[in-house]
Amino acid sequence: MLTREHELLKDTVREFAEREVRPPARDLDERQGFNPAIFHRIGSLGLLGVTIPENFGGGDMDILGATLCMEELGRVCASTALSYLAHSILCVHNIHANGNEAQKNKYLPDLCSGKKIGAMAMTEPDHGSDAMGLETKAVLEGNEYYLTGRKMFITNGTDADTIVVYASTGNDRQISSFIVEKKFSGFSVGKKLSKLGMRASPTCELIFDRCRVPKENVLGKLHEGIDQMQRTLNVERITISGISIGIAQAALEDSLDYAKERKQFGKPIGDFQLVQKMLADMYTWLEAARSLTYRAAKAQDAGEGSTSLASACKVYASEIATQACLHAIQILGGYGYCKDYNVERYLRDAKLMEIGAGTSEVQRVLIAKQLLKSNL
Ligand SMILES: Cc1cc2nc3c(=O)[nH]c(=O)nc-3n(C[C@H](O)[C@H](O)[C@H](O)COP(=O)(O)OP(=O)(O)OC[C@H]3O[C@@H](n4cnc5c(N)ncnc54)[C@H](O)[C@@H]3O)c2cc1C
């Protein structure tokens, strides 16, 4: 299913993740720390702009390649994978897909080298699933837009230098996106949120108080925000499914190791058929999620992607990841419930996957809508 190039990429990221990302993962989770230095190191692999051309410092890979990066990072530290996704897909891929040449030349090289950290701000305190109802306004005065409003739950927001921000630029849901730099006047970082999981990926509120944004920082064309949002969301849903697969893979690996070592009633618990059922179910779910996600990625790469396919892999991979983590905790018994083992972290991280990038309920609404429209 994977080309030689994809296999090579997967192996490279796995080796990097084991060496650089795994060692600090548990400590970062414990103290809700963030490790921006990891961005420089991922940048040195050429993967911060994994989907964009080499002339901007990117990795020139496809959506399937980006998904594999998420999977391998997600397998050792889902928080790092989430921050990497916000940077490489929501910001970098977005600017490349929707920006003009001047914007690409100005922003992409520093984002690809890791000199600058990226984020994307769509969600607001009162508008999550109903993102199109956003209230942040951008008003043109002379050569500058003045942005006023608040954004909520923004991954990397505390540390981001370059943020793609969605705001209303007219009536009737006319939305545009803007490239905002953290040094722009009127921009400030609000409260960092304390979270159940994904604790090593910083999430915060952003405040725009007549934030001055030059006219040339409208990403692409004015009022194009909704189309841009739709295009990027499909890519986000597919690539984020890679993180779910990585978490489920880690849950299965840890469960297998434990089932072989832990003895009860004089034999390894892996000999008990009720434990074997849990392992077999985890494997089956994982392989099904992987196949569906790779298929959605390949369809997107071939220009045949659809919202229903992207949403299907998002909803399935995220829900089986949570279930796989619950099984892993059950297999590890009391130890699985304690922080000396990683599986409780996997579960806390997995739950976010059913919420971020559109909840499972919203994905199902989208799938049903598209199915009904095509009279299937
Ligand atoms: C850790 C984290 C990181 C995030 N990172 C980012 C980021 O980088 N950038 C960004 O812009 N956003 C980000 N988000 C926001 C995320 O995308 C939203 O949380 C998500 O879209 C849900 O919105 P909400 O939390 O406001 O929930 P709500 O929309 O208020 O939903 C609450 C409940 O109602 C249900 N519901 C809502 N509408 C419907 C409907 N039509 N039918 C059925 N059920 C419905 C939902 O499924 C959910 O169960 C992040 C969130 C988290 C927690």
Side-chain angles (χ1 to χ4, degrees), residues 2 43 62 79 135 142 151 195 261 363:
L2 300 181
D62 50 14
S79 293
E135 291 174 51
K151 295 290 176 181
K195 306 196 298 296
E261 273 169 26
Q363 305 306 326

Short mmCIF file of all heavy atoms in Angstrom, two decimals, residues 2 43 62 79 135 142 151 195 261 363:
data_model
loop_
_atom_site.label_atom_id
_atom_site.label_comp_id
_atom_site.label_asym_id
_atom_site.label_seq_id
_atom_site.Cartn_x
_atom_site.Cartn_y
_atom_site.Cartn_z
N LEU A 2 2.04 1.19 0.66
CA LEU A 2 2.93 2.36 0.71
C LEU A 2 4.03 2.22 -0.33
O LEU A 2 4.52 1.11 -0.57
CB LEU A 2 3.57 2.49 2.09
CG LEU A 2 2.63 2.69 3.29
CD1 LEU A 2 3.44 2.82 4.57
CD2 LEU A 2 1.74 3.91 3.11
N GLY A 43 12.43 20.44 11.89
CA GLY A 43 12.77 21.29 10.74
C GLY A 43 14.02 20.80 10.04
O GLY A 43 14.12 20.84 8.81
N ASP A 62 3.31 14.07 -0.09
CA ASP A 62 1.86 14.18 -0.29
C ASP A 62 1.13 14.07 1.06
O ASP A 62 1.76 14.00 2.12
CB ASP A 62 1.39 13.13 -1.29
CG ASP A 62 1.92 11.73 -0.93
OD1 ASP A 62 2.40 11.57 0.20
OD2 ASP A 62 1.86 10.84 -1.79
N SER A 79 0.91 14.64 21.89
CA SER A 79 0.95 16.10 22.04
C SER A 79 1.88 16.73 21.01
O SER A 79 1.56 17.74 20.39
CB SER A 79 1.48 16.49 23.43
OG SER A 79 0.59 16.12 24.43
N GLU A 135 -17.59 35.49 15.26
CA GLU A 135 -17.91 36.90 15.54
C GLU A 135 -16.73 37.85 15.40
O GLU A 135 -16.90 39.06 15.43
CB GLU A 135 -18.48 37.03 16.96
CG GLU A 135 -19.86 36.39 17.10
CD GLU A 135 -20.34 36.39 18.54
OE1 GLU A 135 -20.30 37.47 19.17
OE2 GLU A 135 -20.73 35.32 19.02
N GLY A 142 -8.10 52.52 5.77
CA GLY A 142 -6.88 52.85 5.02
C GLY A 142 -6.27 51.58 4.46
O GLY A 142 -6.95 50.79 3.79
N LYS A 151 -10.30 34.28 20.09
CA LYS A 151 -10.23 32.91 19.57
C LYS A 151 -9.94 31.98 20.74
O LYS A 151 -9.23 32.34 21.67
CB LYS A 151 -9.13 32.81 18.51
CG LYS A 151 -9.42 33.64 17.25
CD LYS A 151 -10.55 33.05 16.45
CE LYS A 151 -10.94 33.89 15.25
NZ LYS A 151 -12.06 33.32 14.51
N LYS A 195 -5.35 21.06 30.68
CA LYS A 195 -6.15 20.06 29.98
C LYS A 195 -6.01 18.65 30.56
O LYS A 195 -5.01 18.32 31.20
CB LYS A 195 -5.73 20.02 28.49
CG LYS A 195 -5.77 21.37 27.78
CD LYS A 195 -5.73 21.21 26.28
CE LYS A 195 -4.48 20.56 25.74
NZ LYS A 195 -3.25 21.35 25.97
N GLU A 261 4.55 -10.69 29.46
CA GLU A 261 5.38 -10.68 30.68
C GLU A 261 4.61 -10.97 31.95
O GLU A 261 5.09 -11.68 32.83
CB GLU A 261 5.98 -9.27 30.85
CG GLU A 261 7.28 -9.07 30.12
CD GLU A 261 7.67 -7.60 30.12
OE1 GLU A 261 7.25 -6.85 31.03
OE2 GLU A 261 8.39 -7.21 29.18
N GLN A 363 -18.81 15.16 12.43
CA GLN A 363 -18.35 14.33 11.28
C GLN A 363 -19.51 13.48 10.76
O GLN A 363 -19.70 13.34 9.55
CB GLN A 363 -17.20 13.39 11.68
CG GLN A 363 -15.99 14.04 12.31
CD GLN A 363 -15.39 15.17 11.50
OE1 GLN A 363 -15.40 15.16 10.27
NE2 GLN A 363 -14.89 16.18 12.17
#
